[in-house]
Amino acid sequence: MLTSLKWMVGLPVVWQDKQLGYVERAIPDAISKRLSGVVVRKGIGTAKWASADNILVVGAQCVLLGQKPTRMPDGETGALGRAFLTSGECAGEVTDVVIQSDTFRVAALELSPGPVYRLMGRRSYAAEYRVEQAARQGEVVVPQLLTWAQLRRKLGEEAEG
C-alpha cells in the first residue's frame, strides 16, 4: 500500500495503548530513499522523535510505535527542494513523498511546477531519483516524470516481477 508523507500528518501516534500525540511532520531520508522518522507533538508541548526503526505500522487510522519517542535529534529537516530532469530543465518543486507503508521505502516523489499548478491538480511523479552531492541542499535529479496511473502501473509491475 502506498502512503503519502503529507497524508501521515495529523495521524494519532500510539505506543502501548496510549495516544502520545499526533504526527506533526514525516521526514524522508533522501539519500537512503527511506522514511527517516516522524515528529510527534501533543498540544504545545515539546516535539518528540520516532525514527522509522521504531515505527511498527503506518495505518489508515494511526501510527503505531514499538518504543516511546525520544528527544528531537539535531540535524537536517529532511526537506527536498527542486527537482531537475537529466536534461537540466527544472521539473518543479518536490511537494510530497510517496512511500511503501510496509517497508517505509520511497516509492516516488510528487512534483509540481508551482503552487497555482498544484491547486489545479497538476502533479507528476518520479519513481526514480538521485541526490547530486555537488548540488544545493535538497535538490534531486529525475530521469522521467510519470502520471499517477503510470506510477501505479510501474509499481504494480515491479511488485509482480
Side-chain angles (χ1 to χ4, degrees):
M1 185 169 99
L2 298 176
T3 302
S4 156
L5 294 190
K6 286 193 177 179
W7 182 83
M8 289 175 60
V9 172
L11 285 177
V13 177
V14 178
W15 173 68
Q16 292 185 346
D17 296 330
K18 296 178 196 164
Q19 184 176 331
L20 301 177
Y22 297 92
V23 175
E24 181 177 277
R25 211 170 15 149
I27 299 176
D29 183 343
I31 295 172
S32 69
K33 298 184 180 181
R34 191 171 190 278
L35 175 68
S36 180
V38 295
V39 177
V40 180
R41 189 180 301 267
K42 185 172 187 175
I44 58 171
T46 59
K48 299 289 184 180
W49 173 253
S51 71
D53 297 333
N54 295 333
I55 299 173
L56 299 176
V57 176
V58 174
Q61 302 297 320
C62 71
V63 174
L64 184 62
L65 301 181
Q67 293 181 350
K68 193 172 183 177
T70 59
R71 282 184 45 159
M72 286 291 298
D74 294 331
E76 298 182 31
T77 62
L80 292 170
R82 290 187 296 177
F84 294 91
L85 294 171
T86 53
S87 64
E89 179 185 354
C90 183
E93 296 287 324
V94 177
T95 55
D96 202 357
V97 178
V98 179
I99 63 168
Q100 297 280 353
S101 59
D102 53 347
T103 62
F104 307 133
R105 303 288 302 164
V106 172
L109 301 178
E110 179 189 89
L111 308 171
S112 181
V116 174
Y117 292 101
R118 185 164 160 74
L119 286 172
M120 293 184 334
R122 186 167 168 204
R123 297 178 185 96
S124 54
Y125 298 87
E128 300 169 19
Y129 71 93
R130 69 176 186 266
V131 178
E132 290 293 321
Q133 299 299 330
R136 285 187 229 156
Q137 182 77 20
E139 288 185 353
V140 295
V141 176
V142 299
Q144 68 176 348
L145 300 177
L146 306 169
T147 65
W148 180 251
Q150 291 171 325
L151 175 65
R152 296 286 303 228
R153 195 168 34 252
K154 180 179 175 95
L155 294 175
E157 291 172 3
E158 288 178 358
E160 292 172 5

